[in-house]
Amino acid sequence: MIKKFIMTIDGQKIEAKEGETILQVALRNCIDIPHLCAHPDTKVKANCRMCVVKIKGVNGLQTACSTPVSEGMDVETLTPEIRWARKFNLELIFGQHVEDCSVCVLDSKCDLLKYRKIYNSKMLRFPDRKINYPIYQFGPIIFDQTKCIDCRNCVEVCPTGYLELKDRGSDINIEPSADKKKDCIACGQCLVHCPVGAIKSEGEFESVKEIKKILQQKDKTVVVQFAPAIRTSIGEELGLPYGLVVTDLLTAGLRKLGFHKVFDTSVAADFTTSEEAGQAVNHIKEGKNLPVFTSCCPSWVLFIEFNYPELIKNITTVRSPEIILGGLVKSYWAEKEKIDPKKIVMVSVMPCTSKKIEIERKEMFIKGNKPVDIVLTTRELAWMLKDEKIDLEALKPELADNPFGDPSGAGVIYGASGGVMESALRTAYYRLTGENLKSVDFKEVRGQEGIKRAVIKLCKPVKTNSGECIEIKAAVVNEIKNARIILDELKKDPKKYDFVEVMACPGGCVGGGGQSLPTNSFIRSKRAASLYTIDKNKKIRLAHENPAVIKAYQEYFNDEKICKEVFHTSFHQQKKKPIGRLKRDMKDFKLIKK
Amino acid sequence: MNIIDKIKTAKLTGRGGADFPTATKWQGVLKAHSKYPDKPVYVVCNATEGEPGIEKDKFILQNYPEKMLAGMKIAMETLGAEKGYIYLNPVYYKKFAAKLKKIIGKLPIEFFVEYGGYICGEETVLLETIEGNRSEPRLKPPFPTERGLFSCPTLVNNVETFYYVAEIADGAYQQTRFYYVGGDVKNSGVYELPIHLSIGKILDETKNSPPFEFFIQAGGGASGEILTSGELDIPLKGAGSIIVYNFKKTKTLLLIKNWVEFFYKSNCGKCAPCREGFFRLRQLLKCRQLNIALLRALVQTMKDASFCPLGRSIWLPTVGLLEKIGLNNKK
Ligand code: SF4
Ligand code: SF4
Ligand code: SF4
Ligand code: SF4
Ligand code: FES
């Protein structure tokens, strides 16, 4: 059992647990100790030194993030000495951080600005030391060294080792790797864990202006889709509690912004599931290209294409829900509505930075058209709503548009790690037996653990047949670093798994690189839990039961060629992406190509 | 009496500068060893000298390498160490490795050539570099005695400490230590004298008492404390070095600049106050009009908030110099 004891912080008696740090105990009790390098997802590094506190009986100041609590410990968090140290330390930190606040991903949530007020630090005490440092772009990721405070969080969370720590002393720097064997997979985890907004994704926030312009054009039909994981995170950007479900408010907000049609990506996830479950069952029965890897996470796909090209054949050919919806809109729906697909602009709101480059892949194009034209992150949409002074809370809930407005529960849980697998298993059972599961929950694949393994037995009911079963050895992988473990296992025993879901981001898309900030384990589990609640309350919880899916297959997707064109794709080996340079236009802080 | 008890009775403290009781450190390793009996134990001899201008390690390596190795061997036997390392800076490696190698013979002791400069004298940095990592300090706890090299119980003592362990084992220890006296003196060099001798006496005994107005830096050529000639009635703490400065001839601003330059070049860059602090101090000191208030604020912040002793150490000499001596060559 974990020992509990009483300690004192600022004169207040507080219960604490063995193994906790002073920072954890303080934050849990609403005592704010400034901290920049400390993130619940990363190791304690104690390098920003903002969290210094005084422990009675100990010489000097100690960092709260790295000091474990002990029984009877007496901590003061705000002596004059501490104030002084934080004030000047923060000024030193400002000295290495170019303040481009007006276009920063942290927007109003910047800790530097918050602490500056509290400690009365002068932002401009020292001239910007890094003003002439490079601004890099690789794929959709923009890394602005002029803002970096060298905390190393990004280096630690980058799953590919692409961000490297170079040099020493005040020449220390984070650099994109020149190593030919390392490439960025665009997951955006570096961005999510940067305390000072030194990393953002392409378009933040210029794409908002672009969309506004398009919305003015009379001859365009502008369609928007939102991903499963947006409905439980966008509220946070607008001051609502972590993980609150705001699907219908979000829909109302999108209409208010002027989008002509609002569709739900989760409906497309039901199409993905229908295709993927079929493919997986076939491969498992035939023993062909096992294990089957899921394909809806473009960062995972890039990871395989770059690092393990020999495994490309194992990735299911099914497109990701976002791309499928784009394709559905620009083929099936356009035909039905008699709209020229060239006049449709498909915008998607994604929790993901990787989706920004996925839409550029030529193998996704349909008759020369990009299925999706613009990807916005959760943050960008929030920015747009705020810019238009739209207060989601004040709106009347609205339902998304038909025919892609009402998903099954299976389509919604796509946003959490394990969701893709669970949806597929529900439908696989049907594909195999022609009947639906009685209990559709596969709890063993849910949750925040790094790797979830399960052997799942799907049996044909005895009454219809001889009791044929197939056993699916499944693994759900949460984060790329854990994918390496599974890939190593497979190297030793290629038959260890039949079906493997991989999502690059911790917790799946609820923890994606495009998500609302901050994101950490606690917040991710809130967002995920809400998705499962939606699923539980849905009448239809099986992808193949979704009437929109059934109807589309009947009306349109009744031959293999058209299915292939809209639902399937191909993957191929990737070369290392070039590293571009940007420069800052000092007038409006816009970044332009050098 | 076993050797640890003897060390305890002799009250030997680490001679690298931290003055930590040697017996306690050894006991710490033993305790960790019994806690993790499967893990090997390592013994490391720190021969990096550290502070600029001191030559004590060199003196011992030159004159008493057998003694130092005898001390190391005792440590390895007492603690059940599988392997020992002598951690040398590149210059000393070139100079002394061949000679040491002969004495080591078949003992499981290896050399490790330091990379990363001054900061490697800090024991956790030293361990990081042996493991092949960046030369940066680790968080403490856990302490190296419990989780040191490759997470195994590890003893790190410096050259002089091992020398005296051997002396204690031989029953020859007489409460002495090695002092380095340098700077504006006639007889600079390394001397072995009683530990409780006052600084003034040390200068006298070594015939180094200056005939002119002077001040000293005690304990290290960059991080040591500034003492006036009236403050020398105390024994020397920390790294045993005394550097004498001629009051009239010393450009004190230049002195600060040199310290700052030294630390600017040798800091590892891990933590904000030190990395940024030395960068700003260096710039500040280039200004025509020196902002002394800001200078003091910075060194104070660095003392209070830096991760390791390196960043914290600029405060002591700088404030001492400003308060006791003043800046005599302001532009
Ligand atoms: S986007 Fe992902 S892979 Fe690319 S640098 Fe950031 S963390 Fe690394
Ligand atoms: S880019 Fe951000 S996360 Fe990475 S080291 Fe710099 S400040 Fe830290
Ligand atoms: S896990 Fe989701 S958010 Fe993260 S890269 Fe993959 S698809 Fe994008
Ligand atoms: S105080 Fe200086 S040397 Fe020590 S960790 Fe910080 S930057 Fe590195
Ligand atoms: S939060 Fe403690 S040192 Fe950065």
Side-chain angles (χ1 to χ4, degrees):
Chain A
M1 219 185 71
I2 295 169
K3 215 173 117 195
K4 284 187 184 167
F5 46 75
I6 300 292
M7 63 176 297
T8 310
I9 303 184
D10 294 337
Q12 208 179 316
K13 294 258 182 285
I14 286 175
E15 190 181 75
K17 289 193 284 281
E18 195 168 272
E20 284 185 301
T21 63
I22 298 174
L23 183 66
Q24 285 168 334
V25 176
L27 293 179
R28 190 154 48 69
N29 288 281
C30 299
I31 299 169
D32 187 25
I33 298 175
H35 55 284
L36 294 169
C37 68
H39 190 288
D41 294 349
T42 62
K43 288 193 211 101
V44 174
K45 294 173 291 303
N47 60 28
C48 77
R49 315 302 291 173
M50 280 302 290
C51 66
V52 283
V53 294
K54 176 78 195 158
I55 303 169
K56 222 182 196 163
V58 180
N59 265 344
L61 302 179
Q62 314 296 323
T63 39
C65 68
S66 66
T67 312
V69 290
S70 58
E71 186 155 12
M73 184 184 256
D74 190 349
V75 180
E76 276 191 88
T77 70
L78 208 56
T79 64
E81 191 189 12
I82 294 170
R83 253 181 197 285
W84 181 270
R86 289 186 188 154
K87 169 186 163 71
F88 281 98
N89 191 21
L90 190 57
E91 291 181 355
L92 287 169
I93 291 172
F94 270 124
Q96 57 175 152
H97 177 82
V98 171
E99 296 83 13
D100 67 346
C101 311
S102 61
V103 290
C104 176
V105 271
L106 287 169
D107 197 12
S108 56
K109 297 175 189 166
C110 170
D111 283 333
L112 291 179
L113 294 178
K114 178 172 99 183
Y115 300 146
R116 166 179 152 247
K117 275 206 197 110
I118 301 173
Y119 298 100
N120 199 15
S121 299
K122 287 206 177 96
M123 199 149 95
L124 303 175
R125 162 100 59 195
F126 303 110
D128 285 315
R129 161 164 95 75
K130 297 185 167 180
I131 187 91
N132 292 318
Y133 277 39
I135 303 170
Y136 295 111
Q137 174 160 7
F138 28 93
I141 303 295
I142 295 171
F143 168 37
D144 185 347
Q145 270 192 354
T146 73
K147 295 179 75 181
C148 171
I149 64 161
D150 301 315
C151 78
R152 311 180 183 188
N153 278 356
C154 56
V155 178
E156 187 183 333
V157 298
C158 177
T160 56
Y162 183 71
L163 295 173
E164 294 172 347
L165 183 60
K166 293 269 192 255
D167 248 312
R168 305 178 47 75
S170 47
D171 291 330
I172 218 163
N173 236 340
I174 315 296
E175 295 281 349
S177 176
D179 187 341
K180 282 203 190 72
K181 293 205 187 74
K182 290 182 186 168
D183 199 13
C184 166
I185 56 169
C187 66
Q189 286 308 307
C190 48
L191 185 169
V192 169
H193 293 86
C194 178
V196 295
I199 306 177
K200 62 175 175 178
S201 71
E202 187 176 21
E204 291 180 305
F205 292 96
E206 297 90 19
S207 6
V208 171
K209 282 190 204 122
E210 193 187 331
I211 290 174
K212 282 191 188 163
K213 238 189 264 155
I214 296 170
L215 284 169
Q216 304 296 318
Q217 296 169 17
K218 291 262 149 46
D219 64 330
K220 292 270 158 64
T221 306
V222 189
V223 181
V224 67
Q225 60 167 313
F226 58 91
I230 306 294
R231 69 204 68 206
T232 61
S233 66
I234 181 108
E236 296 165 21
E237 284 283 329
L238 306 152
L240 297 169
Y242 294 125
L244 189 76
V245 181
V246 293
T247 324
D248 302 342
L249 294 177
L250 169 62
T251 305
L254 289 167
R255 286 221 182 88
K256 190 120 200 197
L257 282 171
F259 290 107
H260 304 128
K261 286 284 166 196
V262 181
F263 291 145
D264 187 340
T265 313
S266 291
V267 176
D270 287 336
F271 285 87
T272 305
T273 301
S274 299
E275 290 292 317
E276 193 164 283
Q279 201 174 55
V281 166
N282 287 343
H283 281 216
I284 292 166
K285 273 186 175 164
E286 291 163 22
K288 191 176 127 199
N289 290 343
L290 293 180
V292 177
F293 292 139
T294 56
S295 65
C296 48
C297 172
S299 287
W300 156 243
V301 169
L302 279 175
F303 179 77
I304 287 292
E305 287 178 322
F306 186 78
N307 300 292
Y308 297 85
E310 70 280 9
L311 295 177
I312 290 174
K313 62 177 188 340
N314 293 57
I315 308 175
T316 113
T317 57
V318 183
R319 297 177 175 208
S320 70
E322 180 210 17
I323 301 291
I324 286 192
L325 189 48
L328 283 168
V329 166
K330 291 194 180 183
S331 62
Y332 169 56
W333 185 77
E335 229 169 81
K336 260 175 92 157
E337 300 285 315
K338 302 195 177 59
I339 307 173
D340 175 4
K342 290 215 157 38
K343 297 250 158 78
I344 298 175
V345 179
M346 183 81 218
V347 176
S348 55
V349 186
M350 294 287 131
C352 183
T353 43
S354 201
K355 298 274 173 196
K356 294 210 174 207
I357 49 174
E358 189 192 23
I359 60 169
E360 307 296 337
R361 297 181 72 126
K362 292 263 172 345
E363 28 332 349
M364 305 290 179
F365 286 21
I366 296 174
K367 298 197 175 75
N369 286 328
K370 277 164 92 177
V372 174
D373 299 282
I374 301 170
V375 172
L376 294 180
T377 60
T378 316
R379 299 181 292 270
E380 283 170 291
L381 177 63
W383 173 281
M384 196 168 171
L385 288 166
K386 281 186 253 180
D387 199 36
E388 291 290 314
K389 306 213 165 34
I390 295 175
D391 177 9
L392 282 195
E393 260 188 304
L395 298 178
K396 260 216 338 261
E398 290 174 18
L399 294 178
D401 288 298
N402 275 327
F404 310 120
D406 193 10
S408 78
V412 175
I413 58 174
Y414 254 65
S417 163
V420 178
M421 175 66 75
E422 183 164 349
S423 306
L425 289 174
R426 291 177 189 177
T427 294
Y429 184 85
Y430 170 77
R431 288 273 184 274
L432 203 68
T433 66
E435 289 190 16
N436 284 336
L437 280 165
K438 292 232 163 50
S439 158
V440 301
D441 290 340
F442 289 90
K443 295 219 164 97
E444 55 273 50
V445 298
R446 299 182 186 176
Q448 305 278 317
E449 294 101 283
I451 302 174
K452 293 160 274 184
R453 302 177 175 89
V455 178
I456 285 149
K457 226 174 170 172
L458 301 179
C459 295
K460 285 187 177 180
V462 185
K463 68 174 167 53
T464 55
N465 209 319
S466 54
E468 183 192 337
C469 285
I470 71 165
E471 241 181 27
I472 301 183
K473 286 170 279 173
V476 172
V477 180
N478 183 3
E479 289 189 67
I480 292 295
K481 66 168 187 237
N482 298 314
R484 289 183 199 275
I485 298 176
I486 292 282
L487 293 173
D488 281 346
E489 288 179 7
L490 283 168
K491 204 168 253 170
K492 281 192 212 106
D493 176 8
K495 295 207 167 121
K496 184 146 188 192
Y497 303 106
D498 302 313
F499 193 12
V500 179
E501 171 200 306
V502 182
M503 299 305 266
C505 298
C509 304
V510 288
Q515 281 289 30
S516 175
L517 299 172
T519 290
N520 59 43
S521 44
F522 170 76
I523 298 173
R524 288 192 293 266
S525 51
K526 286 266 170 200
R527 294 175 187 160
S530 297
L531 293 179
Y532 285 108
T533 312
I534 300 178
D535 170 43
K536 210 170 106 206
N537 295 333
K538 277 268 178 196
K539 244 208 215 92
I540 294 175
R541 298 181 66 192
L542 305 169
H544 58 272
E545 294 266 285
N546 186 336
V549 174
I550 297 170
K551 194 161 172 220
Y553 275 101
Q554 277 167 358
E555 285 180 5
Y556 196 80
F557 295 98
N558 38 27
D559 88 83
E560 205 175 317
K561 193 170 152 270
I562 184 80
C563 280
K564 228 174 163 177
E565 194 173 51
V566 179
F567 298 147
H568 292 262
T569 184
S570 60
F571 303 106
H572 56 83
Q573 189 163 2
Q574 298 279 347
K575 283 209 274 301
K576 182 168 168 136
K577 287 185 282 299
I579 300 172
R581 292 282 196 102
L582 305 175
K583 67 175 188 212
R584 178 179 282 114
D585 178 346
M586 289 316 274
K587 271 205 302 295
D588 56 0
F589 287 104
K590 226 174 107 175
L591 296 177
I592 35 191
K593 290 238 154 66
K594 234 178 168 171
Chain B
M1 216 171 9
N2 71 22
I3 182 70
I4 298 191
D5 288 334
K6 284 186 194 168
I7 294 173
K8 201 175 195 168
T9 317
K11 295 204 174 72
L12 183 66
T13 58
R15 294 291 161 78
D19 280 331
F20 191 79
T22 306
T24 313
K25 220 178 195 180
W26 287 40
Q27 275 160 347
V29 176
L30 274 185
K31 214 171 116 197
H33 189 31
S34 55
K35 198 162 149 196
Y36 314 108
D38 298 340
K39 286 190 176 182
V41 173
Y42 296 104
V43 166
V44 184
C45 174
N46 184 351
T48 56
E49 203 82 80
E51 297 264 333
I54 308 184
E55 301 192 329
K56 284 191 315 151
D57 291 355
K58 185 171 157 194
F59 182 83
I60 296 169
L61 288 168
Q62 184 119 44
N63 299 297
Y64 309 108
E66 303 85 1
K67 265 264 142 89
M68 179 205 91
L69 275 163
M72 241 186 120
K73 199 174 152 218
I74 294 168
M76 290 174 66
E77 282 163 5
T78 312
L79 305 176
E82 191 161 277
K83 200 167 171 185
Y85 288 91
I86 304 178
Y87 193 89
L88 294 153
N89 68 38
V91 179
Y92 289 4
Y93 176 78
K94 247 194 173 153
K95 249 195 156 95
F96 302 116
K99 198 158 125 197
L100 286 167
K101 203 161 188 153
K102 274 199 200 122
I103 311 169
I104 291 170
K106 287 205 164 63
L107 289 177
I109 296 179
E110 271 182 27
F111 297 112
F112 190 91
V113 188
E114 164 231 282
Y115 58 88
Y118 168 69
I119 193 178
C120 296
E122 204 274 342
E123 57 180 10
T124 64
V125 182
L126 168 155
L127 297 174
E128 283 290 297
T129 54
I130 299 182
E131 289 183 16
N133 303 327
R134 295 173 62 87
S135 48
E136 290 179 357
R138 295 179 182 171
L139 278 169
K140 289 195 266 193
F143 293 95
T145 44
E146 185 163 343
R147 280 175 56 192
L149 195 56
F150 306 110
S151 276
C152 299
T154 304
L155 175 81
V156 185
N157 274 148
N158 94 324
V159 173
E160 185 180 334
T161 314
F162 281 127
Y163 170 88
Y164 280 116
V165 166
E167 287 277 278
I168 290 170
D170 290 351
Y173 179 54
Q174 308 226 317
Q175 299 289 327
T176 56
R177 67 175 297 177
F178 288 91
Y179 295 97
Y180 173 77
V181 187
D184 297 329
V185 292
K186 286 219 180 69
N187 303 308
S188 79
V190 178
Y191 299 89
E192 187 177 6
L193 291 166
I195 45 175
H196 296 300
L197 221 55
S198 75
I199 298 171
K201 279 265 166 53
I202 298 169
L203 291 177
D204 279 348
E205 297 246 336
T206 61
K207 303 203 171 47
N208 276 323
S209 277
F212 44 76
E213 220 185 315
F214 71 101
F215 61 94
I216 67 153
Q217 187 171 19
S223 68
E225 185 177 10
I226 298 293
L227 296 171
T228 64
S229 50
E231 295 177 309
L232 305 184
D233 207 16
I234 47 165
L236 189 59
K237 284 188 303 239
S241 118
I242 303 173
I243 295 171
V244 175
Y245 296 100
N246 185 324
F247 185 84
K248 288 227 175 73
K249 288 193 181 151
T250 306
K251 296 182 169 159
T252 48
L253 180 62
L254 190 64
L255 202 53
I256 298 185
K257 277 188 184 167
N258 289 344
W259 296 331
V260 167
E261 195 63 25
F262 174 73
F263 288 124
Y264 168 75
K265 291 221 175 89
S266 51
N267 84 77
C268 74
K270 178 186 177 102
C271 75
C274 169
R275 175 189 65 231
E276 301 305 313
F278 283 117
F279 180 85
R280 298 300 169 181
L281 283 177
R282 194 162 167 263
Q283 291 204 318
L284 205 64
L285 288 163
K286 283 184 194 152
C287 293
R288 211 171 269 275
Q289 196 72 42
L290 180 61
N291 182 344
I292 294 193
L294 184 56
L295 177 80
R296 294 190 64 140
L298 283 179
V299 295
Q300 180 73 43
T301 304
M302 293 161 77
K303 168 180 171 254
D304 288 339
S306 290
F307 188 101
C308 85
L310 189 150
R312 284 179 231 142
S313 57
I314 188 67
W315 175 83
L316 186 66
T318 306
V319 170
L321 198 69
L322 288 175
E323 284 178 358
K324 296 179 184 175
I325 313 297
L327 293 181
N328 56 10
N329 57 332
K330 270 187 271 181
K331 274 190 208 141

